[in-house]
Amino acid sequence: MADVIVADGGINGLTAALAIARQRHRVLVLEREDSFGELETGIRLSTETLHALDRLDVGETVRELAVRISELRLLEGATGVSLAVVPGTGDDGPHPLSCPSTVVRRTELLGVLLARCRDNPHVRLRAGARVVRYEQSADRVTAVLENGERYSCDALVGAGGSCSPVHRQVTGAEQRPSHNTFYHSLLPSEKLPAAQRDSVLTVWASPGWQLMACPAGQGRFEISAHCLKESAETVEGVPVDTEQVLRECPDAAESVRRLLRLGEDWRMRIPCRSSPVDRWTDHRVVLTGDTDRPTLPFAAQNAGHRALEDAVHLGDLMDCDAADFPQVFRAYAEHRRQVAARARTWAAHAVFAEDRGYRVSDLYGVFG
């Protein structure tokens, strides 16, 4: 039994905490905010991710809250012309553009993981504890909080994403606002026309923007617009009006504009991005979560659920003594390196096409 700290209490951090606690290690989750919370958006889960959550004894509960996706429909954003239909078979296939099988709201998934952590005698939770740096010796690592408090442990898991201090210290990567701006709206399903209330994930794509719409469970429907543009700062959950979202999709087909006008309580998010990294471990410190996933249109639809699978995989590898953690973390980093390489290959195709005014049908030829 070892002492492990997980820096960040989002869904990735809580998943890692439960996976590590399965090995009977003592886990302390330090959440930087004053309470545990997530964005009120959907996350698409693959069959493999649900199987991973089964091993944490939360898979069945998540399935009860989730909506099964029957198919993915791809349309050209400016014309509304159908490009492809992908059955929701639950088999993700070999690349990041496959159709995930279910959708669940991030807040509900967080609630399930939180409840399981609180019931687990090996997991402790603390909010309002922002880790700003770490120090380590040959056999111990110390997490230093913003208020000067120090926690000594056998291993530190950074799960706070590519803008977190732990990520910056491990990788040394430059951090700056992403080229991607996201707008999210969650509305009651009854606001939609009856024909759009089915269990379909619909994607409209055009140079510079992408729109996704799908059920989010519990009688709610999510609309998410993703736009490419330069930004001066990161933002999280800032309220915006519908007209701003419409301006981001200037060539949208009238059917898309009608859907956008149905949105309510729009929230804007501009995430942090860092330079591509191949280093995810520093002796007794390891990174997990979505820190290496490209946040680009067409190449990152499955980033969220693959990050959860990584967290469970990390827990599996930590079935060992504390003395073996550095070696285990190196093996985990090699696994992530292979996964990240595949994701970046697809991201590179997306960037190449965006820079040249691609035809969406060419980029999505893999669907055909």
Side-chain angles (χ1 to χ4, degrees):
M1 182 178 286
D3 293 306
V4 179
I5 288 177
V6 176
D8 192 69
I11 58 176
N12 293 326
L14 295 181
T15 300
L18 288 172
I20 296 167
R22 289 179 68 235
Q23 314 305 340
R24 302 187 63 80
H25 299 310
R26 293 178 292 264
V27 184
L28 171 62
V29 180
L30 298 176
E31 165 56 35
R32 56 191 168 187
E33 302 296 337
D34 292 334
S35 62
F36 290 83
E38 273 284 358
L39 288 174
E40 188 65 79
T41 61
I43 179 172
R44 284 159 286 280
L45 304 178
S46 70
T47 301
E48 288 79 3
T49 307
L50 290 170
H51 289 331
L53 294 177
D54 283 335
R55 294 160 58 199
L56 305 182
D57 297 324
V58 298
E60 193 57 39
T61 304
V62 172
R63 286 182 180 88
E64 292 173 359
L65 297 170
V67 176
R68 179 82 180 182
I69 297 300
S70 60
E71 64 184 24
L72 181 150
R73 298 173 185 168
L74 175 69
L75 296 87
E76 214 288 325
T79 64
V81 172
S82 176
L83 299 175
V85 175
V86 182
T89 61
D91 180 5
D92 278 18
H95 55 73
L97 298 178
S98 306
C99 181
S101 61
T102 58
V103 177
V104 66
R105 287 160 60 185
R106 298 181 73 94
T107 50
E108 292 183 326
L109 177 56
L110 180 81
V112 172
L113 295 170
L114 261 178
R116 181 62 64 179
C117 283
R118 287 170 175 150
D119 290 340
N120 192 311
H122 299 301
V123 179
R124 289 187 296 143
L125 303 170
R126 179 183 170 186
R130 184 172 187 264
V131 178
V132 294
R133 62 186 176 89
Y134 63 84
E135 301 169 357
Q136 64 178 321
S137 61
D139 58 356
R140 298 289 283 179
V141 59
T142 300
V144 182
L145 305 191
E146 192 171 40
N147 64 4
E149 290 183 70
R150 302 166 67 88
Y151 285 89
S152 180
C153 56
D154 296 295
L156 172 63
V157 178
S162 57
C163 263
S164 69
V166 175
H167 179 276
R168 180 170 58 249
Q169 188 170 348
V170 170
T171 66
E174 179 186 0
Q175 299 172 336
R176 53 197 181 278
S178 171
H179 292 311
N180 305 273
T181 300
F182 299 87
Y183 300 92
H184 299 282
S185 176
L186 204 65
L187 63 154
S189 298
E190 57 264 23
K191 285 196 64 175
L192 296 165
Q196 290 184 312
R197 297 179 195 173
D198 50 12
S199 56
V200 172
L201 170 62
T202 306
V203 179
W204 291 265
S206 188
W209 62 270
Q210 177 188 41
L211 180 71
M212 292 194 292
C214 66
Q218 308 299 298
R220 308 291 282 178
F221 195 89
E222 181 187 5
I223 308 172
S224 176
H226 177 182
C227 309
L228 288 172
K229 67 176 185 178
E230 295 286 346
S231 301
E233 61 182 354
T234 61
V235 298
E236 192 77 25
V238 174
V240 297
D241 59 31
T242 302
E243 292 305 313
Q244 179 172 338
V245 183
L246 286 167
R247 287 193 296 270
E248 299 288 5
C249 309
D251 61 339
E254 184 55 34
S255 58
V256 176
R257 300 180 73 81
R258 286 197 299 269
L259 181 61
L260 290 175
R261 291 190 183 99
L262 292 176
E264 53 188 35
D265 192 25
W266 285 97
R267 301 282 170 164
M268 178 175 68
R269 175 175 177 259
I270 303 174
C272 175
R273 67 186 175 104
S274 71
S275 305
V277 298
D278 287 312
R279 183 182 184 191
W280 294 291
T281 184
D282 177 15
H283 194 52
R284 291 185 171 273
V285 182
V286 66
L287 301 175
T288 190
D290 55 1
T291 53
D292 68 311
R293 305 297 191 236
T295 51
L296 292 166
F298 325 114
Q301 290 182 27
N302 293 357
H305 71 70
R306 295 200 186 280
L308 298 182
E309 292 171 37
D310 282 351
V312 175
H313 179 63
L314 174 62
D316 290 341
L317 293 176
M318 292 178 70
D319 182 16
C320 62
D321 295 330
D324 297 324
F325 283 166
Q327 178 181 350
V328 162
F329 291 165
R330 288 193 295 272
Y332 172 73
E334 180 57 34
H335 161 77
R336 290 201 64 166
R337 187 172 291 110
Q338 296 172 10
V339 174
R342 292 195 295 271
R344 288 177 189 155
T345 298
W346 286 102
H349 285 309
V351 172
F352 180 88
E354 288 159 7
D355 287 345
R356 289 156 179 77
Y358 64 86
R359 291 188 304 151
V360 179
S361 55
D362 291 341
L363 184 58
Y364 271 99
V366 65
F367 283 138

